[in-house]
Amino acid sequence: MTTVKPILEAVELYGGYGAIPVLSNISLSVQVGEAVGVLGHNGMGKTTLMRTLVGALPVTAGEVLFQGESITGLRPHQRARRGMAYVPQGREIFPTLSVYDNLKFGAIHSGGEAKSIIDELLVDFPRLGKLLDRLGGSLSGGEQQLLALARALAGRPSLLLLDEPTEGIQPSIIEEITETLSALRARKNLTIVLVEQNLEFLVAVVERVLVIRRGQLGGEIPREHLRDLDIVNQYAGVHA
Ligand SMILES: Nc1ncnc2c1ncn2[C@@H]1O[C@H](COP(=O)(O)OP(=O)(O)O)[C@@H](O)[C@H]1O
Ligand SMILES: [Mg+2]
């Protein structure tokens, strides 16, 4: 028997930007070790949902729970310390800091010693190992995405939220990211919530997909349908 143990829950969540409502009555539950996708067209509220879950945007109503406890009132850094990591859309690495210092910053919330954390991380990110002295801003888009991912992992999170990590990056790096995420799931039981529009990447990483439409969750794509990208496309409502 598998025990169902949620790491992340949203309960009747509402959120948005000041007086502008975006998220409406979102309830979801992600189990420890799961990889869950969030799919939806531009402007449907994917980024708003991620930012609300990590505390970058306040909730209007509802609750967010992490490891069974309400974190609705916690600030982003407090959530990070509990083990939530977030790679925002557009990456947002520090362009004027070196790759090494970007990683060091990521290790702040880990409670561990930065150098040993970074050494261990670089085993999974060999490409970054050769770029440690380079400024973040001088890297290619794909390298910056690897850096953003590695920086998030430097905090030794138990839950990783990723917002469109493949946007505008070359296929070889998308492949590297796919492999790294699989390895981390297998080795560390890392839980992943992945927002993606690249369906091939999405289904390579996750086991189930939640569909978001106009700020509301509109159901789930069952596992057995994820193998057929045409069906996934239909769920996303491409023609709706
Ligand atoms: N800073 C903001 N202020 C006001 N409205 C915003 C802001 N950011 C996004 N929105 C609006 O919120 C809705 C959802 O946006 P977003 O969550 O970014 O969608 P997605 O990530 O699915 O493309 C859109 O209508 C968008 O215009
Ligand atoms: Mg977005």
Side-chain angles (χ1 to χ4, degrees):
M1 206 183 87
T2 51
T3 40
V4 177
K5 195 173 164 213
I7 186 167
L8 177 73
E9 293 160 278
V11 184
E12 295 170 13
L13 197 64
Y14 288 75
Y17 303 89
I20 306 167
V22 176
L23 304 178
S24 172
N25 197 23
I26 298 236
S27 294
L28 58 83
S29 181
V30 177
Q31 312 305 314
V32 172
E34 255 197 317
V36 177
V38 178
L39 183 64
H41 291 301
N42 280 332
M44 290 296 160
K46 302 180 298 297
T47 296
T48 307
L49 175 60
M50 292 300 111
R51 297 189 65 205
T52 306
L53 292 172
V54 299
L57 284 171
V59 309
T60 321
E63 288 277 340
V64 180
L65 290 91
F66 184 67
Q67 294 168 333
E69 283 177 39
S70 174
I71 55 163
T72 317
L74 295 189
R75 302 179 60 78
H77 71 272
Q78 296 172 307
R79 299 183 199 212
R81 212 165 282 147
R82 288 199 184 195
M84 268 176 115
Y86 173 48
V87 180
Q89 188 171 10
R91 315 186 253 277
E92 296 177 20
I93 53 125
F94 302 113
T96 59
L97 293 185
S98 69
V99 167
Y100 189 85
D101 285 344
N102 267 275
L103 294 174
K104 207 167 144 188
F105 187 87
I108 283 177
H109 297 304
S110 67
E113 197 245 324
K115 190 179 176 307
S116 61
I117 291 173
I118 294 169
D119 286 347
E120 190 190 314
L121 253 183
L122 291 174
V123 175
D124 285 313
F125 293 89
R127 204 188 279 251
L128 291 180
K130 298 177 197 122
L131 301 169
L132 291 176
D133 297 328
R134 291 265 298 277
L135 293 183
S138 77
L139 305 186
S140 73
E143 289 164 348
Q144 288 188 19
Q145 187 63 59
L146 287 173
L147 176 57
L149 178 59
R151 187 182 64 179
L153 293 168
R156 295 185 164 160
S158 43
L159 171 67
L160 179 65
L161 298 110
L162 299 163
D163 194 349
E164 302 211 29
T166 71
E167 203 177 25
I169 68 172
Q170 62 269 39
S172 63
I173 290 193
I174 296 179
E175 230 166 84
E176 267 180 60
I177 294 176
T178 311
E179 281 164 21
T180 305
L181 292 178
S182 311
L184 287 163
R185 284 192 66 203
R187 206 161 357 106
K188 306 200 182 231
N189 204 26
L190 182 69
T191 309
I192 295 171
V193 176
L194 172 65
V195 165
E196 253 308 329
Q197 310 224 41
N198 176 336
L199 296 184
E200 213 173 313
F201 174 71
L202 184 69
V203 302
V205 174
V206 306
E207 287 135 13
R208 61 188 176 102
V209 173
L210 307 174
V211 179
I212 186 166
R213 290 199 185 97
R214 294 191 191 85
Q216 287 188 296
L217 287 183
E220 184 174 324
I221 309 180
R223 203 178 290 228
E224 62 269 23
H225 286 176
L226 290 182
R227 273 181 243 115
D228 189 333
L229 289 187
D230 286 339
I231 295 182
V232 176
N233 246 318
Q234 283 167 27
Y235 274 102
V238 171
H239 305 294

